[in-house]
Amino acid sequence: MAELFNVYPLYDIEPVKAQGSYLWDTHGTRYLDLYGGHAVISVGHTHPRYVQALTDQLNKISFYSNSVKIPLQQELADKLGALSDHPDYALFLCNSGAEANENALKLASFHNGRTQVVAFTKSFHGRTAGAVAATDNPAIVAPINYNQHVTFLPYNDVEAARTGITTDTCAVIIEGIQGVGGIQVATDEFLQALRQRCDETGTVLILDGVQCGYGRSGKFFSHQFSGIEADIISMAKGMGNGFPIGGILISPKFKASYGLLGTTFGGNHLACTAAIAVLDIMKDEGLIENAIRMGNYLMDGIRQIGGYKELRGRGLMIGIEYDYPVDALRKTLLFDHKQFTGVAGKTIIRLLPSLAIGVEEADQFLEALALETKQTV
């Protein structure tokens, strides 16, 4: 019998049904989803408008290549530009966050002809060749993933950025809020200094919004809190609410040409339909505003519980750092309280729930956390 390549440690849980912020397993047990499959579930599981849109599209056409007109791509670009307040940026569609960052780096190098990249400590940009080279995790960088052209600077260190970004630098790539890195939030001063230094040196500023974008922070892209504009913005995860889609928003300073970028599956009919449904739901149901409201509610509740070392985040991207390993806490939340959470490193519980989460779901988590952390402390 063929076997799967064993690269994922698996919990003995098999979800077979999902709705809103909940999952059900093969035994009918209900779980509260506070992680959204790594920030992917943005508008809630099996939202009826989302399901209906995909069903209707499946009955028309599911795929053809980018050699023909696909008006859904333009509809997506228009709606994304409007909701994200980037109406003058162009959209290139692909399939994942890693691909988005790969194409962002490639486009930057085409633009200024340079090769040197600045990334930051604890960064995570993907597992493809260019993206993983800019990821600060030697364990997942294979020998073939050439990364001698990448310099890692300290996150939120303004002086290091001013000296480390030079006229030889092709691109600076940064997460406005680091996800895998532990929900580290870039300061306004830091992002503004990066923008200024990139302008001075002709460097392309890439904001990786794969996890922290798409409304999760309380603005469409987290770097918008700082008042800066990126040259290229990458996105994926919450973009399709579970359907694979990624993309980059590209400043008008970049000029397209045939063959410059390309993809087989990117921007297909189903992917665009999923992404359009997500944007429509986010807009009509006020989910970006809900991310602010419920993020504040959760963080206020966590502060009242206490017992942590540090609480970080914005909106519905929250990291709770303890001064002890959280593996046991995460398993207790999952198996005793039936709540999915994530981790970052060994000491941080990571929350990335649907942007549609409500008070009832938040209270369930806060009650469980209060019970278990009191016992731990």
Side-chain angles (χ1 to χ4, degrees):
M1 183 175 69
E3 294 184 356
L4 295 173
F5 199 50
N6 190 18
V7 294
Y8 299 117
L10 302 177
Y11 289 121
D12 188 19
I13 298 171
E14 182 187 347
V16 294
K17 176 185 172 183
Q19 186 174 19
S21 291
Y22 295 97
L23 303 164
W24 286 261
D25 69 11
T26 50
H27 305 290
T29 303
R30 189 181 77 166
Y31 296 82
L32 175 61
D33 185 8
L34 296 159
Y35 196 55
H38 308 294
V40 167
I41 301 303
S42 51
V43 301
H45 293 282
T46 61
H47 191 291
R49 287 181 64 181
Y50 175 85
V51 172
Q52 190 62 55
L54 282 169
T55 301
D56 291 346
Q57 188 59 49
L58 270 170
N59 286 318
K60 297 174 184 175
I61 179 173
S62 61
F63 173 81
Y64 207 72
S65 76
N66 286 296
S67 62
V68 299
K69 290 183 178 179
I70 304 177
L72 289 166
Q73 294 179 350
Q74 187 61 56
E75 182 181 353
L76 173 56
D78 290 341
K79 289 183 173 180
L80 175 58
L83 194 59
S84 70
D85 196 26
H86 287 79
D88 57 338
Y89 278 49
L91 175 64
F92 175 77
L93 292 166
C94 54
N95 309 285
S96 69
E99 286 180 67
N101 285 326
E102 198 83 20
N103 280 287
L105 290 164
K106 184 177 181 180
L107 185 58
S109 188
F110 273 132
H111 177 71
N112 58 26
R114 304 174 188 173
T115 60
Q116 300 301 307
V117 171
V118 165
F120 296 91
T121 52
K122 297 186 178 181
S123 62
F124 186 94
H125 299 293
R127 293 176 180 267
T128 53
V132 80
T135 291
D136 185 24
N137 183 354
I140 64 171
V141 181
I144 199 171
N145 299 133
Y146 172 84
N147 66 355
Q148 285 83 347
H149 63 296
V150 180
T151 300
F152 292 97
L153 300 180
Y155 195 78
N156 274 335
D157 188 326
V158 171
E159 289 308 313
R162 285 176 176 156
T163 58
I165 301 167
T166 73
T167 53
D168 291 326
T169 308
C170 168
V172 170
I173 184 166
I174 184 170
E175 301 156 272
I177 305 173
Q178 291 184 331
V180 174
I183 315 298
Q184 308 291 337
V185 181
T187 66
D188 293 344
E189 179 190 17
F190 185 56
L191 290 177
Q192 290 162 7
L194 291 181
R195 178 68 277 173
Q196 180 182 358
R197 188 60 181 152
C198 286
D199 288 340
E200 291 169 352
T201 58
T203 300
V204 175
L205 180 58
I206 301 169
L207 263 295
D208 179 343
V210 170
Q211 187 170 132
C212 62
Y214 249 78
R216 180 156 296 281
S217 67
K219 287 191 179 290
F220 200 92
F221 296 113
S222 66
H223 67 270
Q224 290 174 310
F225 282 99
S226 70
I228 68 161
E229 290 190 354
D231 296 316
I232 306 175
I233 306 166
S234 61
M235 56 205 154
K237 292 197 183 291
M239 191 174 183
N241 202 53
F243 197 99
I245 183 171
I248 51 175
L249 281 172
I250 305 164
S251 162
K253 71 172 65 173
F254 297 88
K255 302 305 177 186
S257 61
Y258 292 145
L260 187 71
L261 303 177
T263 174
T264 296
F265 295 104
N268 67 71
H269 297 77
L270 280 178
C272 287
T273 297
I276 290 167
V278 165
L279 290 173
D280 287 344
I281 294 165
M282 286 175 63
K283 179 181 178 182
D284 294 346
E285 298 186 5
L287 295 191
I288 299 177
E289 294 80 6
N290 191 62
I292 298 173
R293 181 168 54 251
M294 291 309 303
N296 289 337
Y297 185 87
L298 278 165
M299 292 183 80
D300 287 344
I302 295 164
R303 289 188 189 99
Q304 291 177 29
I305 294 166
Y308 55 82
K309 178 181 177 181
E310 189 172 350
L311 178 63
R312 298 185 294 271
R314 253 181 178 153
L316 289 172
M317 190 169 182
I318 298 171
I320 318 167
E321 183 170 2
Y322 295 92
D323 57 6
Y324 53 84
V326 296
D327 185 59
L329 173 59
R330 185 191 188 193
K331 287 182 178 178
T332 299
L333 289 169
L334 178 57
F335 291 107
D336 293 356
H337 297 278
K338 312 304 180 188
Q339 297 180 3
F340 276 93
T341 60
V343 294
K346 296 184 180 298
T347 61
I348 301 166
I349 292 288
R350 185 162 43 139
L351 303 180
L352 301 165
S354 159
L355 306 189
I357 191 174
V359 170
E360 179 182 344
E361 292 82 16
D363 283 345
Q364 290 178 46
F365 169 71
L366 293 171
E367 289 169 11
L369 184 70
L371 176 64
E372 297 306 329
T373 53
K374 285 177 182 177
Q375 290 179 355
T376 303
V377 174

